[in-house]
Amino acid sequence: MALRVFLSRVTGNVFYKRSFCSEGKTNIHTRIVDIYNSEPVGSHLLVKGWVKAMRKMKEHVFLDVSDGSCSKKLQVLISKSRQPKSLTYGAAVEAVGSLVTNTNGQLELAAENVTVIGPCIVIDGYPFAPRKSYSPDYIRQFLHLRPRTNAFGALLRIRDAASHAVNEHFRNNGYIHIHTPVLTSNDCEGAGDVFQVKPENEKTVKDMMKDGMSMDEAYFDCNTYLSVSGQLHLEAAVRGLSKVYTFGPTFRAENSRSRLHLAEFYMIEAEAAFIESLEELMNIMENLIKNVTSQVMQKCADDVELLHSSDGNEGPVVSLLQKPFEVMTYEQAIDILGRHSGNFVSQVKKGQGLGKEHELYLVKYAGDCPIFIVDWPSDIKPFYMKQSLQDVSKVSALDLLAPQVGELCGGSLREDNFSLLQDKLQKSGLYEALGWYLELREYGNVPSAGFGMGFERFLQVILGIPNIKDTIPFPRWPHNCKL
Ligand SMILES: NC(=O)C[C@H](N)C(=O)O
């Protein structure tokens, strides 16, 4: 571009002039949360939001207006003569007026003017009636309208606060946030069934083989999947940064519609170098869980209360904060389950994994307290877990079981013995694909450990939410991806 043209673009009147000011000051409307926190009585304000309830009196109309910024609504008072025609429950409105304290001592906007920004065009079609509480199952049928319900609004604010607290906790403890890839060529450890991805117009591998094409002609010259875990990439990053974590979407194509599974969920995964015992790993996990839980309970007390009082939720699990998490070995767990099988739980044999009923039974046994199950048989755990120094048939791994969900986290010391890892990769047929992973142990290797925790299950636990689909804005599960 010629310099003259360039300069005229930069300095001339070519550009559209905009007025710049920080967000919140634009358009000068005040958020309801700020009104309750800091706005002095007597202020003249513009408020924007949605009508959550409407009461018509002789001369006035009272509106409960919410803008989603907090659980509270602002009562707006307008004289009947100034009430716009399309003012109904559910409409989007803006109101201008003075902030006053009413006779009940509550803040109220005495409005001079209320304008309808967006009316409810089909009033009878709106699935939620004012001041009525609905079951989560009912609300879930309207995923696109769900964010405007009181209970789900509260959930979304809590989720935001929890996500913020997770990032803050890791940052305060010296962890570096790593964005691990969503597209990967490995399925981690066979952590779950994978979603395979390819460009829209590309043939499937099967068709390519039929047509005599080689994988080199594909976009990626290898099979590609949506990530089931960022762990292996974190293990690469931790051998350079010492403490790392990731917190992103994770995908499992499990054909389950259970109250505990999603096809897309958010996983918090952390890895730390120079860790040599499960004790240290348990402390890292317990500190994270306790700290984030107490942050959420403090910062979102109103929303937690609102969620608790709405239908279908069991309320927060306080046992999480009260005492140290329990610990028992896999063998002790099998023993306890064996002694109580029949009446309470079905039989589980030594060497087998635990079913959901076993996990929940063990949590009950621990007094509804989270419990770490440690030292698992190596045969039922993935290749990257470190062989136990005391018993070669075991790995230094743990599962954290919690009320409401059973398994909440899984973690382990990572195998740092080069030849053992090489052997395991060879035996599991992953040697070719994971040569790079083995190489991490070839140069400047260190002992390390890590864990993963499903964020939605964590929300279920701390909030007592039975169904995982009620913890994520737009849940994906079999046959449900249209919205
Ligand atoms: N980062 C982890 O340890 C999580 C584990 N790889 C899982 O997929 O469950």
Side-chain angles (χ1 to χ4, degrees):
M1 189 189 302
L3 185 61
R4 199 159 43 82
V5 180
F6 174 75
L7 282 179
S8 82
R9 289 216 186 141
V10 181
T11 57
N13 288 331
V14 192
F15 288 117
Y16 172 84
K17 275 225 179 332
R18 72 187 172 119
S19 56
F20 180 77
C21 56
S22 63
E23 187 170 341
K25 298 286 178 241
T26 334
N27 226 345
I28 339 262
H29 78 270
T30 310
R31 293 187 318 150
I32 290 172
V33 66
D34 297 330
I35 293 180
Y36 281 106
N37 282 343
S38 57
E39 208 56 58
V41 169
S43 312
H44 195 255
L45 304 172
L46 168 64
V47 173
K48 300 188 183 192
W50 293 268
V51 177
K52 291 288 176 152
M54 208 170 145
R55 293 174 297 283
K56 293 191 180 178
M57 309 310 261
K58 216 161 148 211
E59 290 181 7
H60 289 100
V61 181
F62 288 95
L63 308 175
D64 287 344
V65 175
S66 160
D67 64 1
S69 61
C70 62
S71 60
K72 286 193 186 123
K73 290 156 196 85
L74 182 67
Q75 180 156 287
V76 174
L77 175 72
I78 178 91
S79 86
K80 255 191 175 162
S81 57
R82 290 176 164 256
Q83 166 199 1
K85 244 196 4 249
S86 52
L87 182 63
T88 61
Y89 162 72
V93 292
E94 61 178 51
V96 189
S98 301
L99 194 63
V100 296
T101 319
N102 67 16
T103 45
N104 299 329
Q106 287 161 343
L107 282 182
E108 182 177 281
L109 192 76
E112 295 129 30
N113 196 25
V114 171
T115 315
V116 173
I117 305 172
C120 278
I121 297 177
V122 191
I123 183 71
D124 293 344
Y126 196 57
F128 313 120
R131 279 186 247 108
K132 231 188 126 188
S133 169
Y134 293 96
S135 75
D137 288 349
Y138 173 81
I139 298 175
R140 209 180 304 123
Q141 296 173 63
F142 310 98
L143 291 180
H144 57 308
L145 301 176
R146 187 166 72 156
R148 58 182 87 185
T149 63
N150 293 336
F152 203 67
L155 179 277
L156 291 179
R157 283 186 296 272
I158 297 170
R159 185 181 162 107
D160 169 63
S163 152
H164 189 83
V166 167
N167 286 312
E168 200 171 58
H169 174 89
F170 279 122
R171 175 161 286 246
N172 290 344
N173 285 281
Y175 285 75
I176 309 293
H177 189 174
I178 303 292
H179 293 120
T180 49
V182 169
L183 292 177
T184 65
S185 59
N186 65 69
D187 69 350
C188 195
E189 75 249 34
D193 297 324
V194 286
F195 286 104
Q196 196 167 352
V197 265
K198 63 172 192 60
E200 190 179 4
N201 297 323
E202 195 170 283
K203 291 182 176 174
T204 59
V205 174
K206 222 160 122 197
D207 284 343
M208 284 170 67
M209 277 161 62
K210 222 168 41 197
D211 296 351
M213 292 162 75
S214 89
M215 276 300 272
D216 292 346
E217 292 172 66
Y219 188 91
F220 292 115
D221 46 9
C222 55
N223 286 341
T224 316
Y225 313 98
L226 294 179
S227 177
V228 294
S229 162
Q231 180 198 323
L232 302 190
H233 292 95
L234 282 186
E235 284 199 55
V238 83
R239 284 166 172 75
L241 295 165
S242 297
K243 286 165 125 187
V244 292
Y245 79 102
T246 192
F247 183 3
T250 313
F251 306 86
R252 305 221 171 151
E254 279 163 299
N255 193 13
S256 168
R257 294 152 186 252
S258 91
R259 65 173 194 88
L260 295 170
H261 291 96
L262 288 169
E264 177 181 304
F265 62 98
Y266 278 71
M267 185 144 69
I268 298 156
E269 297 186 274
E271 293 287 322
F274 315 112
I275 298 249
E276 297 185 52
S277 73
L278 283 183
E279 291 280 321
E280 288 172 89
L281 182 60
M282 285 190 274
N283 289 341
I284 293 172
M285 295 165 73
E286 188 165 341
N287 281 337
L288 168 75
I289 291 171
K290 288 200 155 133
N291 187 7
V292 175
T293 306
S294 69
Q295 294 286 330
V296 168
M297 295 301 155
Q298 270 170 39
K299 293 191 175 147
C300 305
D302 288 353
D303 280 323
V304 171
E305 172 64 34
L306 193 159
L307 207 59
H308 186 188
S309 59
S310 53
D311 286 358
N313 294 319
E314 290 163 18
V317 175
V318 276
S319 68
L320 221 60
L321 294 172
Q322 281 162 347
K323 35 183 185 161
F325 295 174
E326 302 287 349
V327 189
M328 76 173 55
T329 64
Y330 167 85
E331 290 202 356
Q332 286 170 325
I334 293 293
D335 204 46
I336 289 163
L337 291 168
R339 280 193 272 124
H340 294 94
S341 69
N343 286 348
F344 306 115
V345 284
S346 63
Q347 186 73 39
V348 53
K349 289 202 192 87
K350 214 167 166 174
Q352 287 178 335
L354 305 181
K356 194 55 61 196
E357 60 168 330
H358 305 123
E359 294 172 357
L360 291 172
Y361 184 81
L362 291 167
V363 173
K364 274 256 161 313
Y365 185 87
D368 272 324
C369 178
I371 174 167
F372 287 107
I373 311 292
V374 301
D375 299 338
W376 287 74
S378 55
D379 289 351
I380 55 170
K381 288 290 185 188
F383 68 87
Y384 53 70
M385 296 188 167
K386 184 174 170 60
Q387 182 178 292
S388 162
L389 298 177
Q390 289 77 35
D391 177 352
V392 293
S393 71
K394 298 268 166 35
V395 281
S396 296
L398 52 80
D399 277 4
L400 177 64
L401 312 181
Q404 187 73 254
V405 300
E407 188 197 343
L408 173 63
C409 309
S412 74
L413 303 186
R414 308 311 190 191
E415 186 54 82
D416 56 349
N417 179 311
F418 180 85
S419 5
L420 275 179
L421 186 60
Q422 186 175 40
D423 202 41
K424 280 193 186 176
L425 285 172
Q426 265 158 352
K427 281 194 184 125
S428 50
L430 291 166
Y431 186 73
E432 281 278 297
L434 289 179
W436 66 267
Y437 180 77
L438 184 61
E439 211 167 281
L440 300 177
R441 272 68 177 170
E442 254 177 321
Y443 309 106
N445 191 34
V446 291
S448 68
F451 69 94
M453 172 166 81
F455 184 51
E456 287 74 17
R457 282 201 185 177
F458 170 68
L459 293 175
Q460 278 188 278
V461 174
I462 65 167
L463 300 168
I465 297 180
N467 196 322
I468 198 166
K469 299 175 191 77
D470 300 324
T471 61
I472 186 164
F474 298 101
R476 268 84 182 88
W477 73 96
H479 306 292
N480 281 276
C481 194
K482 290 202 181 112
L483 181 87

mmCIF file of all heavy atoms in Angstrom, residues 215-245:
data_model
loop_
_atom_site.group_PDB
_atom_site.id
_atom_site.type_symbol
_atom_site.label_atom_id
_atom_site.label_comp_id
_atom_site.label_asym_id
_atom_site.label_seq_id
_atom_site.Cartn_x
_atom_site.Cartn_y
_atom_site.Cartn_z
ATOM 1 N N MET A 215 -3.269 -42.803 3.751
ATOM 2 C CA MET A 215 -3.635 -41.819 4.774
ATOM 3 C C MET A 215 -2.946 -40.475 4.513
ATOM 4 O O MET A 215 -3.377 -39.443 5.001
ATOM 5 C CB MET A 215 -3.262 -42.324 6.171
ATOM 6 C CG MET A 215 -4.293 -43.245 6.794
ATOM 7 S SD MET A 215 -5.896 -42.481 6.984
ATOM 8 C CE MET A 215 -5.750 -41.721 8.592
ATOM 9 N N ASP A 216 -1.852 -40.490 3.712
ATOM 10 C CA ASP A 216 -1.163 -39.232 3.409
ATOM 11 C C ASP A 216 -2.067 -38.271 2.675
ATOM 12 O O ASP A 216 -1.838 -37.068 2.641
ATOM 13 C CB ASP A 216 0.077 -39.504 2.531
ATOM 14 C CG ASP A 216 1.115 -40.261 3.323
ATOM 15 O OD1 ASP A 216 0.974 -40.311 4.559
ATOM 16 O OD2 ASP A 216 2.045 -40.809 2.700
ATOM 17 N N GLU A 217 -3.108 -38.799 2.054
ATOM 18 C CA GLU A 217 -4.010 -37.931 1.297
ATOM 19 C C GLU A 217 -5.089 -37.317 2.185
ATOM 20 O O GLU A 217 -5.881 -36.507 1.739
ATOM 21 C CB GLU A 217 -4.637 -38.708 0.141
ATOM 22 C CG GLU A 217 -3.597 -39.063 -0.917
ATOM 23 C CD GLU A 217 -4.143 -39.998 -1.981
ATOM 24 O OE1 GLU A 217 -5.039 -39.569 -2.725
ATOM 25 O OE2 GLU A 217 -3.661 -41.152 -2.045
ATOM 26 N N ALA A 218 -5.127 -37.740 3.431
ATOM 27 C CA ALA A 218 -6.128 -37.188 4.362
ATOM 28 C C ALA A 218 -5.604 -35.878 4.957
ATOM 29 O O ALA A 218 -4.411 -35.596 4.878
ATOM 30 C CB ALA A 218 -6.387 -38.184 5.481
ATOM 31 N N TYR A 219 -6.483 -35.082 5.510
ATOM 32 C CA TYR A 219 -6.081 -33.790 6.102
ATOM 33 C C TYR A 219 -5.001 -33.997 7.164
ATOM 34 O O TYR A 219 -3.954 -33.387 7.150
ATOM 35 C CB TYR A 219 -7.302 -33.098 6.728
ATOM 36 C CG TYR A 219 -7.007 -31.711 7.184
ATOM 37 C CD1 TYR A 219 -7.195 -30.630 6.321
ATOM 38 C CD2 TYR A 219 -6.504 -31.461 8.461
ATOM 39 C CE1 TYR A 219 -6.905 -29.349 6.723
ATOM 40 C CE2 TYR A 219 -6.208 -30.179 8.875
ATOM 41 C CZ TYR A 219 -6.403 -29.120 8.009
ATOM 42 O OH TYR A 219 -6.107 -27.851 8.416
ATOM 43 N N PHE A 220 -5.312 -34.850 8.126
ATOM 44 C CA PHE A 220 -4.285 -35.292 9.065
ATOM 45 C C PHE A 220 -3.916 -36.700 8.623
ATOM 46 O O PHE A 220 -4.818 -37.503 8.379
ATOM 47 C CB PHE A 220 -4.842 -35.362 10.492
ATOM 48 C CG PHE A 220 -5.176 -34.022 11.090
ATOM 49 C CD1 PHE A 220 -6.488 -33.697 11.404
ATOM 50 C CD2 PHE A 220 -4.180 -33.092 11.358
ATOM 51 C CE1 PHE A 220 -6.794 -32.466 11.973
ATOM 52 C CE2 PHE A 220 -4.482 -31.864 11.931
ATOM 53 C CZ PHE A 220 -5.794 -31.539 12.237
ATOM 54 N N ASP A 221 -2.648 -36.984 8.534
ATOM 55 C CA ASP A 221 -2.297 -38.316 8.048
ATOM 56 C C ASP A 221 -2.328 -39.362 9.169
ATOM 57 O O ASP A 221 -1.457 -40.210 9.286
ATOM 58 C CB ASP A 221 -0.947 -38.299 7.317
ATOM 59 C CG ASP A 221 0.086 -37.526 8.093
ATOM 60 O OD1 ASP A 221 -0.213 -37.163 9.260
ATOM 61 O OD2 ASP A 221 1.172 -37.271 7.556
ATOM 62 N N CYS A 222 -3.309 -39.227 9.996
ATOM 63 C CA CYS A 222 -3.521 -40.212 11.064
ATOM 64 C C CYS A 222 -4.977 -40.060 11.508
ATOM 65 O O CYS A 222 -5.605 -39.041 11.218
ATOM 66 C CB CYS A 222 -2.598 -39.950 12.248
ATOM 67 S SG CYS A 222 -2.749 -38.289 12.896
ATOM 68 N N ASN A 223 -5.492 -41.040 12.198
ATOM 69 C CA ASN A 223 -6.846 -40.892 12.734
ATOM 70 C C ASN A 223 -6.842 -39.778 13.771
ATOM 71 O O ASN A 223 -5.903 -39.652 14.552
ATOM 72 C CB ASN A 223 -7.308 -42.195 13.396
ATOM 73 C CG ASN A 223 -7.656 -43.239 12.347
ATOM 74 O OD1 ASN A 223 -7.894 -42.893 11.182
ATOM 75 N ND2 ASN A 223 -7.682 -44.491 12.744
ATOM 76 N N THR A 224 -7.902 -39.007 13.780
ATOM 77 C CA THR A 224 -7.955 -37.849 14.678
ATOM 78 C C THR A 224 -9.239 -37.880 15.492
ATOM 79 O O THR A 224 -10.303 -38.241 14.969
ATOM 80 C CB THR A 224 -7.910 -36.542 13.854
ATOM 81 O OG1 THR A 224 -6.936 -36.681 12.862
ATOM 82 C CG2 THR A 224 -7.591 -35.362 14.721
ATOM 83 N N TYR A 225 -9.115 -37.493 16.752
ATOM 84 C CA TYR A 225 -10.258 -37.574 17.672
ATOM 85 C C TYR A 225 -10.414 -36.280 18.447
ATOM 86 O O TYR A 225 -9.477 -35.490 18.562
ATOM 87 C CB TYR A 225 -10.029 -38.709 18.691
ATOM 88 C CG TYR A 225 -9.569 -39.997 18.072
ATOM 89 C CD1 TYR A 225 -8.209 -40.333 18.058
ATOM 90 C CD2 TYR A 225 -10.489 -40.855 17.477
ATOM 91 C CE1 TYR A 225 -7.781 -41.512 17.467
ATOM 92 C CE2 TYR A 225 -10.062 -42.039 16.885
ATOM 93 C CZ TYR A 225 -8.711 -42.348 16.877
ATOM 94 O OH TYR A 225 -8.291 -43.506 16.292
ATOM 95 N N LEU A 226 -11.601 -36.099 19.023
ATOM 96 C CA LEU A 226 -11.772 -35.030 20.008
ATOM 97 C C LEU A 226 -11.164 -35.538 21.307
ATOM 98 O O LEU A 226 -11.371 -36.695 21.679
ATOM 99 C CB LEU A 226 -13.263 -34.720 20.211
ATOM 100 C CG LEU A 226 -13.998 -34.129 19.016
ATOM 101 C CD1 LEU A 226 -15.465 -33.896 19.361
ATOM 102 C CD2 LEU A 226 -13.353 -32.808 18.591
ATOM 103 N N SER A 227 -10.478 -34.668 21.998
ATOM 104 C CA SER A 227 -9.692 -35.095 23.162
ATOM 105 C C SER A 227 -10.544 -35.701 24.287
ATOM 106 O O SER A 227 -11.583 -35.150 24.645
ATOM 107 C CB SER A 227 -8.933 -33.888 23.704
ATOM 108 O OG SER A 227 -8.230 -34.269 24.851
ATOM 109 N N VAL A 228 -10.079 -36.819 24.833
ATOM 110 C CA VAL A 228 -10.720 -37.388 26.026
ATOM 111 C C VAL A 228 -9.996 -36.961 27.294
ATOM 112 O O VAL A 228 -10.490 -37.163 28.391
ATOM 113 C CB VAL A 228 -10.800 -38.938 26.000
ATOM 114 C CG1 VAL A 228 -11.708 -39.426 24.903
ATOM 115 C CG2 VAL A 228 -9.410 -39.536 25.871
ATOM 116 N N SER A 229 -8.810 -36.382 27.127
ATOM 117 C CA SER A 229 -8.025 -35.937 28.282
ATOM 118 C C SER A 229 -6.805 -35.176 27.771
ATOM 119 O O SER A 229 -6.224 -35.542 26.744
ATOM 120 C CB SER A 229 -7.568 -37.160 29.087
ATOM 121 O OG SER A 229 -6.503 -36.814 29.942
ATOM 122 N N GLY A 230 -6.434 -34.129 28.482
ATOM 123 C CA GLY A 230 -5.251 -33.357 28.084
ATOM 124 C C GLY A 230 -3.997 -33.841 28.803
ATOM 125 O O GLY A 230 -2.936 -33.245 28.693
ATOM 126 N N GLN A 231 -4.131 -34.938 29.548
ATOM 127 C CA GLN A 231 -3.057 -35.362 30.445
ATOM 128 C C GLN A 231 -1.702 -35.563 29.767
ATOM 129 O O GLN A 231 -0.682 -35.094 30.259
ATOM 130 C CB GLN A 231 -3.461 -36.658 31.142
ATOM 131 C CG GLN A 231 -2.397 -37.169 32.079
ATOM 132 C CD GLN A 231 -2.597 -38.623 32.435
ATOM 133 O OE1 GLN A 231 -3.739 -39.041 32.586
ATOM 134 N NE2 GLN A 231 -1.527 -39.364 32.554
ATOM 135 N N LEU A 232 -1.698 -36.285 28.626
ATOM 136 C CA LEU A 232 -0.391 -36.618 28.043
ATOM 137 C C LEU A 232 0.333 -35.348 27.583
ATOM 138 O O LEU A 232 1.557 -35.240 27.709
ATOM 139 C CB LEU A 232 -0.553 -37.618 26.900
ATOM 140 C CG LEU A 232 -1.244 -38.950 27.264
ATOM 141 C CD1 LEU A 232 -1.143 -39.955 26.120
ATOM 142 C CD2 LEU A 232 -0.701 -39.555 28.547
ATOM 143 N N HIS A 233 -0.434 -34.386 27.082
ATOM 144 C CA HIS A 233 0.194 -33.119 26.678
ATOM 145 C C HIS A 233 0.662 -32.331 27.909
ATOM 146 O O HIS A 233 1.700 -31.679 27.874
ATOM 147 C CB HIS A 233 -0.770 -32.291 25.824
ATOM 148 C CG HIS A 233 -1.031 -32.922 24.482
ATOM 149 N ND1 HIS A 233 -2.115 -33.725 24.240
ATOM 150 C CD2 HIS A 233 -0.304 -32.898 23.333
ATOM 151 C CE1 HIS A 233 -2.058 -34.164 22.993
ATOM 152 N NE2 HIS A 233 -0.977 -33.673 22.424
ATOM 153 N N LEU A 234 -0.103 -32.421 28.974
ATOM 154 C CA LEU A 234 0.327 -31.755 30.219
ATOM 155 C C LEU A 234 1.628 -32.365 30.722
ATOM 156 O O LEU A 234 2.481 -31.682 31.276
ATOM 157 C CB LEU A 234 -0.730 -31.891 31.313
ATOM 158 C CG LEU A 234 -1.953 -30.985 31.255
ATOM 159 C CD1 LEU A 234 -2.798 -31.187 32.504
ATOM 160 C CD2 LEU A 234 -1.577 -29.516 31.123
ATOM 161 N N GLU A 235 1.739 -33.689 30.547
ATOM 162 C CA GLU A 235 2.969 -34.352 31.007
ATOM 163 C C GLU A 235 4.192 -33.854 30.231
ATOM 164 O O GLU A 235 5.302 -33.830 30.755
ATOM 165 C CB GLU A 235 2.837 -35.871 30.891
ATOM 166 C CG GLU A 235 1.968 -36.463 31.983
ATOM 167 C CD GLU A 235 2.212 -37.949 32.137
ATOM 168 O OE1 GLU A 235 3.364 -38.356 32.335
ATOM 169 O OE2 GLU A 235 1.213 -38.708 32.034
ATOM 170 N N ALA A 236 3.959 -33.458 28.955
ATOM 171 C CA ALA A 236 5.064 -32.857 28.188
ATOM 172 C C ALA A 236 5.378 -31.475 28.760
ATOM 173 O O ALA A 236 6.538 -31.126 28.980
ATOM 174 C CB ALA A 236 4.683 -32.766 26.716
ATOM 175 N N ALA A 237 4.321 -30.696 29.030
ATOM 176 C CA ALA A 237 4.523 -29.320 29.495
ATOM 177 C C ALA A 237 5.134 -29.273 30.895
ATOM 178 O O ALA A 237 5.937 -28.394 31.206
ATOM 179 C CB ALA A 237 3.192 -28.573 29.479
ATOM 180 N N VAL A 238 4.774 -30.245 31.748
ATOM 181 C CA VAL A 238 5.248 -30.186 33.135
ATOM 182 C C VAL A 238 6.752 -30.429 33.226
ATOM 183 O O VAL A 238 7.400 -29.989 34.170
ATOM 184 C CB VAL A 238 4.456 -31.175 34.027
ATOM 185 C CG1 VAL A 238 5.011 -32.604 33.948
ATOM 186 C CG2 VAL A 238 4.449 -30.701 35.469
ATOM 187 N N ARG A 239 7.283 -31.095 32.178
ATOM 188 C CA ARG A 239 8.736 -31.331 32.184
ATOM 189 C C ARG A 239 9.466 -30.131 31.584
ATOM 190 O O ARG A 239 10.390 -30.262 30.809
ATOM 191 C CB ARG A 239 9.043 -32.632 31.434
ATOM 192 C CG ARG A 239 8.691 -33.829 32.291
ATOM 193 C CD ARG A 239 8.633 -35.145 31.564
ATOM 194 N NE ARG A 239 8.478 -36.216 32.533
ATOM 195 C CZ ARG A 239 7.343 -36.503 33.172
ATOM 196 N NH1 ARG A 239 6.241 -35.812 32.913
ATOM 197 N NH2 ARG A 239 7.293 -37.482 34.060
ATOM 198 N N GLY A 240 9.041 -28.969 31.921
ATOM 199 C CA GLY A 240 9.634 -27.719 31.480
ATOM 200 C C GLY A 240 9.123 -26.602 32.367
ATOM 201 O O GLY A 240 9.773 -25.593 32.551
ATOM 202 N N LEU A 241 7.921 -26.796 32.919
ATOM 203 C CA LEU A 241 7.310 -25.714 33.695
ATOM 204 C C LEU A 241 7.010 -26.093 35.147
ATOM 205 O O LEU A 241 6.498 -25.288 35.905
ATOM 206 C CB LEU A 241 6.014 -25.264 33.009
ATOM 207 C CG LEU A 241 6.232 -24.620 31.630
ATOM 208 C CD1 LEU A 241 4.938 -24.536 30.856
ATOM 209 C CD2 LEU A 241 6.862 -23.252 31.763
ATOM 210 N N SER A 242 7.260 -27.319 35.511
ATOM 211 C CA SER A 242 7.120 -27.829 36.897
ATOM 212 C C SER A 242 5.684 -28.014 37.416
ATOM 213 O O SER A 242 5.384 -29.006 38.057
ATOM 214 C CB SER A 242 7.860 -26.961 37.917
ATOM 215 O OG SER A 242 9.220 -26.975 37.646
ATOM 216 N N LYS A 243 4.807 -27.015 37.170
ATOM 217 C CA LYS A 243 3.422 -27.170 37.648
ATOM 218 C C LYS A 243 2.493 -26.630 36.564
ATOM 219 O O LYS A 243 2.591 -25.440 36.212
ATOM 220 C CB LYS A 243 3.200 -26.344 38.922
ATOM 221 C CG LYS A 243 3.844 -26.918 40.166
ATOM 222 C CD LYS A 243 3.860 -25.849 41.250
ATOM 223 C CE LYS A 243 3.197 -26.361 42.509
ATOM 224 N NZ LYS A 243 3.045 -25.312 43.525
ATOM 225 N N VAL A 244 1.615 -27.459 36.058
ATOM 226 C CA VAL A 244 0.739 -27.016 34.959
ATOM 227 C C VAL A 244 -0.674 -27.543 35.171
ATOM 228 O O VAL A 244 -0.886 -28.528 35.879
ATOM 229 C CB VAL A 244 1.253 -27.512 33.587
ATOM 230 C CG1 VAL A 244 2.555 -26.851 33.205
ATOM 231 C CG2 VAL A 244 1.397 -29.034 33.549
ATOM 232 N N TYR A 245 -1.619 -26.872 34.540
ATOM 233 C CA TYR A 245 -2.992 -27.395 34.564
ATOM 234 C C TYR A 245 -3.704 -26.997 33.294
ATOM 235 O O TYR A 245 -3.259 -26.092 32.573
ATOM 236 C CB TYR A 245 -3.753 -26.889 35.790
ATOM 237 C CG TYR A 245 -4.283 -25.471 35.681
ATOM 238 C CD1 TYR A 245 -5.616 -25.222 35.405
ATOM 239 C CD2 TYR A 245 -3.438 -24.374 35.848
ATOM 240 C CE1 TYR A 245 -6.109 -23.926 35.308
ATOM 241 C CE2 TYR A 245 -3.921 -23.080 35.753
ATOM 242 C CZ TYR A 245 -5.256 -22.858 35.479
ATOM 243 O OH TYR A 245 -5.737 -21.576 35.377
#
